[in-house]
Amino acid sequence: MGDWPAMTASPQTVRPAARAARGASLPHRFGAHVVDGGIDVVVAAPHAEAVDLCLLGDDGERRVGLRRRAFGVWDAHVPGVGAGQRYGLRVHGPWDPAAGLFHNPAKLLLDPYARGVVGDLRLSPEIFGHVTEADGAGDLALPDHRDSAPFVRHGVVVPSHRPPVRRPRVPWSETVVYEAHVRGLTLDLPGVPEHLRGTYAGLAHPATIEHLRRLGVTTLELLPIHAIASETALLERGLVNYWGYSTLAFFAPEPRYATTAARSAGPAAVLAEVTGMVSLLHDAGIEVLLDVVYNHTCEQGLDGPLLSWRGLDNTGYYLHDGSSPARYADVTGTGNSLDFRRQRVVQLALDSLRYWAEEVGVDGFRFDLAVTLGRRAGAFEPDHPFLVALASDPTLGGLKLVAEPWDVGPSGWRTGAFLPPMREWNDRFRDATRRFWLADPRTAAAGDGATHDLRDLATRLSGSADLFGHGGGGSRGPLASVNYVTAHDGFTLADLVAYDHKHNEANGEGGRDGSDHNLSWNHGIEGPVRDEDPGGEILPLRRRSIRNLLATLLVSAGVPMLTAGDEVGRTQRGNNNAYCQDSELSWVSWEISEWRSDLLATSQYLLALRREHAALRPVRFARGRPRRDDTLDDLAWFGSDGTALDHDAWHDPARRLLQMRRSGRSLPDPLSGAEPAEPAAPAPRDVLVVLNGALEQDDVVLAPARTGWELVWDSTWEHPGELATSAINGVLHPADGSIVPLDALSMRIYLERRTP
């Protein structure tokens, strides 16, 4: 990025540029677009007195004054300018923090609709709109007159391009989501060439695709790839926002994930690399979802840097509490929240989503802190105008839409409250699964009394009807639930079984960051243990607990989501908030030891089992009675004695063994588009899942079967290949009514035995 002379003049000597000769041909199309031998530029700044377009080059800056339109819109057509042009905005107007106005023409602002960015945000007093001291203290009442251009990211004009999109359109009933970071997934992945590692192109390399396909992934969910600016507090500590939840540009891809060649060629080449990645993943049958952050921006609180929206229309973009002096209402915990009561905010979000769907080709979105997007007058409304517009949009409504159904504002936990077609991350599933396999056994091992009963676990296994058994037009069904045990935020799967407490020292926040509600269990020793160490005997127990958690996820009704690296035992060494760790702490390690290889094989096997047997992925809630001509209930629950659980058994916290039997004969959901099996095809097989969450072995009378049961997986097996080598036929094919021993803290999956 070139350097420009610092602006030292006072606001009175910074004059608006001469007004453009003509306005944009489409004054309602925001951003900078190549049109008729030049560019059209349109921006909203309703309280401004003048707005300058700043064309940036190695020889300095040329300014063009935009023309005022109705409703606070400014625009211009600038001839002789084309794709590749760097640009920014300077806004003239009142500096009145008490009234929420932060106009400062000394600060170069990024166009909110910029489709490409270059440069980096550099920590310097110039990036703030107000006067600051070296220690970060300052006075909001005093505007800073120094030029910010050399220290901020610049927008770049990128030509419009709509490649043909061939979406895989994987049905929700067959979807397996894999949450990954573009850089972290492939930075060390064998088979990916060095120059492609950690990039968009590396994500679509055959080696990456082969791993995803062999694992059984259908849908890749990427942590944010919108261009970002790291928080100033991180820059002060020499860190960056690695996860990317600090958006600077809702239309521009983050350049740091592009190859060196693409970055050198410019933002158009970066965008081409992104669209190429999506296209190649589509060719492999893999969908692409983007994790998007429309709830807040990188500008932080009122005393944060002045980079874009705050300098254009602070009171129009950001949520305020109505006080005087003007003060933000922060429901995101980041210092600011976008105000989805405002037309321009809703329009910005919808325009951005359509751009990524239509011009980049992505298949859907996961909405970070989605409750913020549905707040009006402080309260969340499921029929909020933005959510209604999203669902009814002809482009967006048919994509995969997933909500993170909470924020940190009043009544911010709203899991189950969204309406179709939105799906939701199910934190209740996460907690129930962790509690059954980890937190409750930890409590029991410590001799601290009774644990929880089986009701919550059974509810999550069967699709969380308490959360999703309602909605527009009736039940939303189990496929509204995106089930997960881990995500980017929190412990990895391997760390859940190795740490009782978070270890976030590397973040430099004195342990204040990250959740303390982990529901984890170190099995007796905190942190890593080697086979030769004292206490090495806990390692097989830890590995079994990982398999229990993974298998519970994959036999539950709903849409499963895996976190990248969990299939190979990735560790963050106890850090449960590695958002600022662009290091080996966060990257997926592909140095596969024997136990990690076994875990990968187990993950592949369980995903294949789920894919091949419809009873493991029901598309509607069970009724607890037979369907059509079936003789078995579609879903039934049994205790260790093989009899149905009664009321007292469900409420007994001492009971730790549960059998779940699902009929394979249940008809497909007519709304899913699936057709019934051909009459000549083999009947789908019933499934029996047996879970023992106790610290002792238990003897189990297996639930009644049509023709008997066949054991297909046991969590005591380090590798699924142990099924083929087992010589205990009475265990693999137990006779009806036989008593089967089940190890402590283990689970088994049985399928209906085929008769010759």
Side-chain angles (χ1 to χ4, degrees):
M1 184 173 78
D3 292 331
W4 292 273
M7 179 180 292
T8 58
S10 68
Q12 287 75 23
T13 62
V14 180
R15 303 296 183 189
R19 191 173 67 175
R22 57 175 262 214
S25 55
L26 294 174
H28 300 295
R29 183 175 64 170
F30 287 89
H33 301 273
V34 179
V35 176
D36 298 334
I39 60 170
D40 279 355
V41 178
V42 183
V43 65
H47 303 290
E49 296 171 355
V51 178
D52 294 341
L53 169 69
C54 303
L55 303 173
L56 308 171
D58 293 336
D59 56 350
E61 173 180 325
R62 178 167 72 94
R63 300 183 186 180
V64 178
L66 303 187
R67 302 166 63 96
R68 184 192 295 271
R69 296 274 189 170
F71 311 118
V73 174
W74 300 77
D75 74 336
H77 177 78
V78 185
V81 177
Q85 174 66 55
R86 281 182 290 153
Y87 73 104
L89 301 164
R90 297 189 188 272
V91 179
H92 304 258
W95 179 272
D96 187 357
L101 302 177
F102 291 90
H103 302 113
N104 186 341
K107 307 304 168 183
L108 186 75
L109 305 179
L110 186 73
D111 173 12
Y113 278 73
R115 297 190 175 190
V117 298
V118 293
D120 291 301
L121 180 70
R122 293 159 54 189
L123 184 60
S124 172
E126 285 85 351
I127 69 175
F128 296 89
H130 61 287
V131 173
T132 60
E133 305 297 336
D135 61 0
D139 187 348
L140 278 180
L142 300 177
D144 184 273
H145 303 320
R146 292 169 291 185
D147 186 9
S148 68
F151 307 96
V152 297
R153 299 187 109 170
H154 300 166
V156 177
V157 179
V158 175
S160 180
H161 173 59
R162 291 199 178 192
V165 179
R166 302 174 297 277
R167 303 189 191 281
R169 295 200 179 278
V170 179
W172 277 109
S173 60
E174 300 172 12
T175 297
V176 176
V177 180
Y178 187 82
E179 187 197 43
H181 189 283
V182 171
R183 177 169 165 81
L185 181 63
T186 67
L187 201 59
D188 292 325
L189 181 60
V192 176
E194 186 71 27
H195 69 286
L196 299 183
R197 292 187 175 187
T199 69
Y200 299 116
L203 203 62
H205 187 271
T208 312
I209 290 175
E210 180 185 11
H211 174 75
L212 297 176
R213 287 176 59 87
R214 290 185 63 188
L215 179 59
V217 168
T218 69
T219 305
L220 183 61
E221 181 180 304
L222 299 179
L223 266 65
I225 66 170
H226 290 168
I228 73 160
S230 293
E231 295 89 332
T232 54
L234 289 179
L235 296 175
E236 289 170 354
R237 299 200 298 273
L239 300 171
V240 297
N241 191 311
Y242 170 71
W243 285 350
Y245 293 89
S246 188
T247 307
L248 173 68
F250 291 111
F251 293 79
E254 174 53 53
R256 63 178 170 161
Y257 303 145
T259 57
T260 300
R263 292 198 307 271
S264 298
V270 172
L271 178 61
E273 188 173 310
V274 175
T275 57
M277 169 195 74
V278 172
S279 180
L280 288 171
L281 287 166
H282 283 175
D283 290 345
I286 298 172
E287 297 176 310
V288 179
L289 307 187
L290 299 186
D291 194 336
V292 288
V293 189
Y294 296 108
N295 58 81
H296 75 281
T297 77
C298 64
E299 289 189 306
Q300 305 169 59
L302 285 170
D303 58 351
L306 192 71
L307 304 175
S308 182
W309 307 271
R310 183 179 292 128
L312 289 164
D313 185 14
N314 175 60
T315 57
Y317 280 112
Y318 291 118
L319 184 66
H320 286 70
D321 65 5
S323 64
S324 182
R327 185 171 58 198
Y328 285 166
D330 180 12
V331 296
T332 64
T334 64
N336 69 65
S337 305
L338 286 173
D339 189 349
F340 274 79
R341 300 172 300 178
R342 306 290 186 175
Q343 175 188 343
R344 294 301 180 210
V345 173
V346 172
Q347 182 179 10
L348 174 72
L350 291 172
D351 287 348
S352 169
L353 291 166
R354 290 191 199 99
Y355 171 75
W356 288 95
E358 295 174 348
E359 298 201 28
V360 181
V362 302
D363 304 285
F365 305 92
R366 179 266 189 188
F367 295 90
D368 183 64
L369 298 184
V371 168
T372 298
L373 317 186
R375 283 190 180 274
R376 187 163 57 181
F380 172 76
E381 298 179 0
D383 59 350
H384 185 282
F386 170 72
L387 299 176
V388 172
L390 179 65
S392 57
D393 187 277
T395 295
L396 304 174
L399 301 182
K400 282 188 161 75
L401 307 175
V402 180
E404 181 185 38
W406 52 80
D407 65 12
V408 301
S411 302
W413 182 83
R414 300 306 298 262
T415 307
F418 285 76
L419 297 177
M422 194 74 81
R423 269 64 176 180
E424 302 176 39
W425 273 24
N426 189 347
D427 56 318
R428 294 281 291 273
F429 179 93
R430 173 200 64 199
D431 290 354
T433 305
R434 292 185 182 189
R435 185 177 293 113
F436 180 79
W437 288 118
L438 301 177
D440 284 352
R442 182 183 68 192
T443 298
D448 291 339
T451 56
H452 299 79
D453 60 38
L454 298 170
R455 288 175 295 164
D456 196 24
L457 177 68
T459 302
R460 306 308 148 212
L461 287 166
S462 56
S464 297
D466 60 331
L467 300 173
F468 305 108
H470 57 85
S475 171
R476 296 170 64 191
L479 297 180
S481 175
V482 176
N483 299 332
Y484 68 105
V485 178
T486 67
H488 66 275
D489 187 2
F491 281 145
T492 66
L493 195 56
D495 286 354
L496 271 179
V497 305
Y499 295 90
D500 280 356
H501 309 286
K502 64 187 180 185
H503 295 267
N504 298 354
E505 294 80 9
N507 297 353
E509 299 182 37
R512 295 181 300 275
D513 65 306
S515 175
D516 294 312
H517 183 66
N518 296 298
L519 299 173
S520 58
W521 183 27
N522 64 20
H523 293 72
I525 298 177
E526 185 78 353
V529 177
R530 295 174 297 178
D531 287 306
E532 61 270 22
D533 290 343
E537 69 276 2
I538 72 170
L539 292 177
L541 299 178
R542 286 181 174 180
R543 296 196 292 267
R544 185 189 303 180
S545 289
I546 290 176
R547 295 190 292 270
N548 288 334
L549 293 164
L550 180 65
T552 303
L553 172 66
L554 297 179
V555 301
S556 295
V559 179
M561 184 185 80
L562 303 171
T563 303
D566 275 352
E567 74 275 19
V568 291
R570 181 175 76 93
T571 178
Q572 292 179 166
R573 299 196 289 276
N575 191 316
N576 75 348
N577 189 36
Y579 76 104
C580 56
Q581 297 298 325
D582 187 3
S583 67
E584 292 181 354
L585 195 70
S586 291
W587 307 333
V588 177
S589 171
W590 296 101
E591 293 184 5
I592 308 298
S593 61
E594 182 179 358
W595 82 265
R596 289 186 168 91
S597 178
D598 288 343
L599 178 58
L600 176 59
T602 297
S603 302
Q604 294 168 334
Y605 177 81
L606 290 172
L607 280 165
L609 205 62
R610 179 184 178 90
R611 183 170 59 250
E612 294 164 4
H613 299 283
L616 289 171
R617 42 184 176 83
V619 298
R620 57 185 175 184
F621 290 124
R623 299 174 181 174
R625 59 180 186 270
R627 293 181 181 269
R628 276 204 171 177
D629 299 328
D630 200 357
T631 58
L632 290 183
D633 295 342
D634 55 3
L635 176 66
W637 307 96
F638 303 88
S640 58
D641 60 358
T643 63
L645 291 177
D646 57 20
H647 177 274
D648 291 340
W650 280 118
H651 290 77
D652 182 359
R655 285 184 175 263
R656 299 289 297 163
L657 191 140
L658 181 66
Q659 298 190 69
M660 177 183 70
R661 187 188 67 195
R662 286 202 199 116
S663 170
R665 310 300 197 270
S666 296
L667 293 176
D669 186 342
L671 298 179
S672 71
E675 296 293 331
E678 294 293 333
R685 299 169 76 177
D686 303 332
V687 63
L688 178 68
V689 178
V690 189
L691 309 96
N692 181 13
L695 298 178
E696 304 84 21
Q697 176 180 300
D698 203 347
D699 292 331
V700 183
V701 177
L702 296 183
R706 298 180 204 268
T707 60
W709 296 112
E710 177 185 351
L711 178 64
V712 294
W713 186 76
D714 189 322
S715 69
T716 64
W717 298 343
E718 293 279 358
H719 189 285
E722 293 185 36
L723 170 65
T725 60
S726 176
I728 311 174
N729 190 59
V731 172
L732 295 182
H733 300 97
D736 287 347
S738 60
I739 298 176
V740 177
L742 189 65
D743 279 8
L745 297 177
S746 70
M747 65 180 289
R748 288 179 178 171
I749 302 173
Y750 292 88
L751 291 175
E752 175 188 354
R753 186 165 46 173
R754 293 293 193 197
T755 55

